[in-house]
Amino acid sequence: MSQVRRAKITALGTYVPPRVFTNKDFEKIVETSDEWILSRTGIRQRHVVDKGVATSDLAVEAAKIALAQRGIDPGEIEAIVVATVTPDMLFPSTACLVQHKLGAKRAWGFDLSAACSAFVYALQSGAQFIASGAHNKVLVIGADVMSSILDYTDRATCILFGDGAGAVVLEPAEGEGEGIIDFHHEVDGSGGCSLYMPAGGSLHPATHETVDKKMHFVHQDGQAVFKYAVKKMGEACEKVLARNAVSASDIDCFIPHQANQRIINATAERVGLRPESVIINIDRYGNTTAGTIPLAMQTAVEEGKLKKGDLVMLASVGAGFTVGATLLRWTM
Ligand code: UT7
């Protein structure tokens, strides 16, 4: 029987812009309160870029840290997958901009659009290039500048998001049971109308009218997304656990997408995860969309909750709807 070649994460780098926007800062621009935001979402603050800083800039900073950590020259990278819903521009892809800025001369690459599930989808896409034997070094980046598509007069959405990026290097796993073990992904396009940015694509190209109607901003039916996320994040985790005959208590580190602390807690409780295994950093960063999972990996490492040999589960639900859960053995 042929041995399946698996991918493993061999380096992690993250970056958030230095400027911090607190809940108190929001009290000055919309009708809200620190108490409401914290109790409904778990967010205390988020980082936001200064004017002129784009998604590729955050992605490159995160990637540089990951490459330096592993001692890899950018020229060794063979493919770059950038998960983002806020590309610098519609084309060229942010992956092309990152390739150029990094000087990753041998790499090809592309952007992947799956909103909050984009990092787990990109991770799996990158892992397939390793599994097939096509590549030995793939850079997977989740990066978003959500502040570029927020309506700062809409209190229901603007308080939720932040800017940030994370990058991982994927290489072939050596040992049995190492690296990315399995995944369960789903999309449900019927949820498209619950969370979307209406204009700027081919359906509603930019016009004075689309700008006047605020169609270039995030529009969300918060309760519909909340209900779907609570149901599907747990379901996806249960599926990936059952298929691999792993019980929830075997998970050493649960790294969920950070959209709302209440969604994370409900999922952890439903699945039966140990509370100490659950990583939460939404208080510091808000929802950075494709950036949340690598940023939470970094938090887990810093808090001593993610160690070599740990069994890890990643999970996400986002616009689309998109759903993802990944099981992996951490090897760094
Ligand atoms: O990662 C992408 C996926 N996105 C998500 O997972 C987001 C999922 N949804 C959520 O996290 C929650 O639905 C929100 C945090 C967005 C909203 O929390 P909620 O508990 O569902 O609140 P709600 O939308 O039911 O609103 C309750 C009240 C409303 O007022 P009324 O109608 O009861 O008078 C809102 O107008 O809270 C009001 N409200 C606010 N009040 C103070 C909405 N936003 C704010 C605010 N400050 N920022």
Side-chain angles (χ1 to χ4, degrees):
M1 212 172 89
S2 65
Q3 182 81 27
V4 178
R5 190 165 118 128
R6 279 190 185 146
K8 67 173 180 178
I9 294 172
T10 58
L12 168 68
T14 57
Y15 181 79
V16 289
R19 188 151 67 96
V20 168
F21 211 79
T22 65
N23 292 350
K24 287 272 177 213
D25 293 325
F26 271 110
E27 288 179 359
K28 294 176 202 147
I29 62 169
V30 286
E31 188 64 38
T32 191
S33 66
D34 178 39
E35 195 278 328
W36 191 96
I37 299 172
L38 188 58
S39 62
R40 297 290 180 121
T41 70
I43 302 168
R44 290 177 191 277
Q45 61 168 51
R46 67 292 287 145
H47 290 249
V48 290
V49 298
D50 288 322
K51 202 169 171 353
V53 176
T55 295
S56 68
D57 297 311
L58 308 191
V60 164
E61 290 306 318
K64 280 181 181 168
I65 294 167
L67 294 181
Q69 187 184 80
R70 181 75 175 144
I72 293 176
D73 184 87
E76 294 175 52
I77 295 295
E78 296 162 86
I80 301 171
V81 188
V82 177
T84 188
V85 79
T86 52
D88 290 26
M89 54 196 100
L90 273 181
F91 66 88
S93 72
T94 303
C96 292
L97 305 175
V98 169
Q99 180 268 348
H100 179 61
K101 288 181 185 181
L102 277 179
K105 291 200 185 320
R106 282 175 62 209
W108 68 290
F110 56 92
D111 289 2
L112 192 151
S113 171
C116 296
S117 300
F119 182 79
V120 290
Y121 285 18
L123 190 69
Q124 202 53 53
S125 305
Q128 299 305 316
F129 294 123
I130 303 283
S132 69
H135 297 314
N136 288 318
K137 285 187 175 62
V138 177
L139 186 60
V140 173
I141 306 173
D144 271 302
V145 173
M146 294 305 291
S147 61
S148 66
I149 56 167
L150 292 176
D151 174 3
Y152 280 95
T153 65
D154 176 15
R155 67 177 182 174
T157 53
C158 69
I159 52 103
L160 298 172
F161 297 94
D163 303 337
V168 297
V169 175
L170 292 178
E171 296 183 69
E174 288 119 30
E176 183 76 11
E178 268 196 355
I180 297 169
I181 298 165
D182 196 12
F183 72 100
H184 174 81
H185 292 170
E186 285 177 39
V187 300
D188 176 359
S190 70
C193 52
S194 295
L195 180 51
Y196 68 126
M197 191 174 87
S202 55
L203 181 60
H204 297 295
T207 60
H208 286 292
E209 191 190 4
T210 62
V211 172
D212 291 344
K213 289 185 169 170
K214 302 186 170 197
M215 290 167 72
H216 297 271
F217 295 129
V218 171
H219 290 243
Q220 174 172 250
D221 176 347
Q223 286 195 9
V225 180
F226 188 92
K227 281 183 200 149
Y228 187 84
V230 165
K231 180 170 178 278
K232 296 302 287 193
M233 200 186 262
E235 265 182 35
C237 290
E238 285 167 352
K239 281 191 177 140
V240 88
L241 289 173
R243 199 162 57 207
N244 292 277
V246 171
S247 78
S249 58
D250 292 334
I251 295 297
D252 299 301
C253 189
F254 176 55
I255 305 180
H257 169 56
Q258 311 278 315
N260 188 315
Q261 186 160 348
R262 291 186 290 141
I263 295 173
I264 298 172
N265 291 343
T267 301
E269 197 172 322
R270 172 194 166 143
V271 178
L273 295 157
R274 288 180 289 113
E276 63 274 21
S277 71
V278 180
I279 306 304
I280 294 177
N281 66 4
I282 191 171
D283 51 323
R284 281 157 269 177
Y285 302 120
N287 180 352
T288 57
T289 304
T292 59
I293 288 181
L295 280 165
M297 284 176 176
Q298 184 66 41
T299 295
V301 170
E302 285 167 8
E303 292 180 352
K305 292 180 175 171
L306 180 53
K307 300 177 290 299
K308 192 175 170 130
D310 279 355
L311 194 56
V312 178
M313 188 160 59
L314 317 177
S316 65
V317 171
F321 292 123
T322 55
V323 181
T326 307
L327 188 68
L328 62 96
R329 179 80 61 186
W330 193 254
T331 45
M332 289 166 55

